[in-house]
Amino acid sequence: MTDTILPAIALVPGDCTGIGPEQTARILAEGRLSDVARPVVVGDARVLEMGMVHAGVKLEVERITSPKDAAWQSGAVQLVDLANTDPAQFPIGKVSAESGRLTGETLARAIDFARAGEVDAITFAPLNKRAMFDGGWKFPDEHKMFASLLGHQGYFSEMNVLDGQWMSRVTGHQALREAIEAITPATITEAIELADRMMKKAGIARPRIAVAALNPHAGENGLFGRDEIEMIRPTVEAAAKRGIACSGPYPADTVYIRAFAGEFDSVVAMYHDQGQIATKLRGFNRGVTVTAGLETVFTTPSHGTAFDIVGQGIAKTGALESAIRLAAQLVAAKGAQSQAA
């Protein structure tokens, strides 16, 4: 791919109290992603400078007013300096509502650039959901914030991508008691269809989707729960009859073993931790979260702000690098599908 066709990706350093700034600085210094994307940092120059100090690197930075003005051929890091966040005001490794507010503000500006067609995707370093909520962004997670800012109507969800596996779920960031009530034939169907659609967008022609059970041992044939018999299996079979390569429900304590062995391309979990525990054990520092179902491509590491190691220069960058690569892959696949249509 030549420089002119590489996707332009807004790279947001995340919450300045966490490891995002140093991860961002290290990735840009190492330049290993120049073959897949043209990153433009959206944030505050002071945050990036702090990240350089923490990572022990030095960058040549060119400040621009908008991604459309980026001159990637210059070799300098392209930075839209929002001048909105002074990291000296926020102790590292501690939750700050004001830092959360500014993190949301920075992401909102990146979304503006995406809506204007100035960037093709947004990759953001770790943020803190509690800080953002306390800072005034009254959403349980950033995905719902993105949907609101984009005016999105309809179903969407986060998915986790690791080692070629696309892990999704029927319910997300909510109390487990609430999640169980939210598991219905309609929401199961939406989750299956979204997983199928997202993987096809990523270039998987016929994704093999396993659907997890809700109860232990898939209810043991009704011995402790009939959700699998009366709701989940009929819903999965109905989706399969419409042409989706899905099957299940499978016991949740074994289905991920089968998936990572290559039997499936995706597992649709019933609730958040059912899938997250398996994927984070598999590769905590490598997994990527993608907001599935929105027009704009959003990717981020699956891990958090790692307050315990901020500023030590030891934060690994593998998941953030993978997030950028996945964003570029989704943009490229979207472009190829548009041309084919």
Side-chain angles (χ1 to χ4, degrees):
M1 299 178 73
T2 66
D3 184 66
T4 56
I5 62 172
L6 292 177
I9 296 181
L11 180 55
V12 178
D15 196 309
C16 71
T17 63
I19 60 174
E22 62 191 88
Q23 289 181 309
T24 301
R26 188 179 301 283
I27 283 175
L28 293 170
E30 293 176 350
R32 289 206 300 268
L33 297 166
S34 60
D35 61 325
V36 297
R38 297 173 296 163
V40 53
V41 180
V42 176
D44 192 300
R46 294 167 292 183
V47 173
L48 185 57
E49 288 164 3
M50 180 188 70
M52 289 185 234
V53 173
H54 290 171
V57 301
K58 186 65 177 176
L59 297 170
E60 179 186 354
V61 178
E62 182 175 350
R63 301 186 190 190
I64 56 179
T65 58
S66 173
K68 69 177 186 299
D69 301 322
W72 288 281
Q73 68 275 10
S74 70
V77 171
Q78 303 297 294
L79 166 69
V80 178
D81 184 9
L82 302 182
N84 64 342
T85 306
D86 180 3
Q89 302 299 314
F90 310 107
I92 61 173
K94 296 183 182 299
V95 176
S96 164
E98 178 61 9
S99 180
R101 182 185 73 80
L102 294 169
T103 301
E105 179 182 287
T106 301
L107 284 164
R109 289 294 300 279
I111 290 172
D112 289 340
F113 292 135
R115 297 187 74 175
E118 295 190 38
V119 295
D120 300 303
I122 298 170
T123 296
F124 56 99
L127 48 76
N128 187 282
K129 294 175 177 59
R130 181 79 245 182
M132 287 180 61
F133 188 90
D134 291 345
W137 297 96
K138 299 301 184 181
F139 302 94
D141 57 45
E142 67 273 21
H143 312 288
K144 292 181 176 60
M145 169 191 161
F146 299 157
S148 177
L149 292 176
L150 291 168
H152 177 80
Q153 300 294 321
Y155 182 76
F156 65 95
S157 177
E158 69 170 278
M159 295 184 71
N160 297 106
V161 184
L162 174 66
D163 294 344
Q165 288 291 319
W166 289 68
M167 303 305 185
S168 188
R169 62 189 69 98
V170 176
T171 60
H173 293 124
Q174 60 193 121
L176 184 56
R177 292 181 188 277
E178 297 174 0
I180 291 173
E181 293 301 318
I183 297 169
T184 67
T187 56
I188 295 169
T189 298
E190 288 175 327
I192 293 171
E193 290 177 345
L194 181 59
D196 183 66
R197 189 162 63 249
M198 282 300 298
M199 286 187 286
K200 285 178 177 176
K201 285 183 178 180
I204 303 173
R206 186 168 171 77
R208 299 164 300 165
I209 302 170
V211 178
L214 173 62
N215 296 300
H217 301 181
E220 201 73 71
N221 294 317
L223 185 62
F224 31 79
R226 297 189 58 82
D227 303 272
E228 289 74 20
I229 295 171
E230 297 175 357
M231 176 176 61
I232 301 175
R233 185 173 299 282
T235 302
V236 173
E237 290 174 348
K241 287 179 181 178
R242 295 194 301 275
I244 297 176
C246 59
S247 56
Y250 299 104
D253 59 352
T254 56
V255 68
Y256 291 94
I257 297 173
R258 297 171 64 178
F260 283 114
E263 188 174 344
F264 307 111
D265 301 303
S266 172
V267 176
V268 173
M270 289 295 116
Y271 56 91
H272 182 274
D273 284 10
Q274 192 180 54
Q276 287 294 82
I277 291 171
T279 54
K280 287 189 175 182
L281 279 172
R282 172 79 178 192
F284 181 76
N285 288 312
R286 297 183 292 110
V288 176
T289 296
V290 55
T291 309
L294 303 183
E295 181 63 25
T296 300
V297 172
F298 295 91
T299 62
T300 189
S302 293
H303 61 70
T305 46
F307 284 154
D308 57 324
I309 62 169
V310 179
Q312 299 178 32
I314 61 174
K316 295 181 179 180
T317 61
L320 185 55
E321 292 180 26
S322 295
I324 295 171
R325 291 187 181 278
L326 179 60
Q329 177 187 344
L330 289 170
V331 170
K334 182 179 179 180
Q337 290 165 5
S338 297
Q339 291 179 355

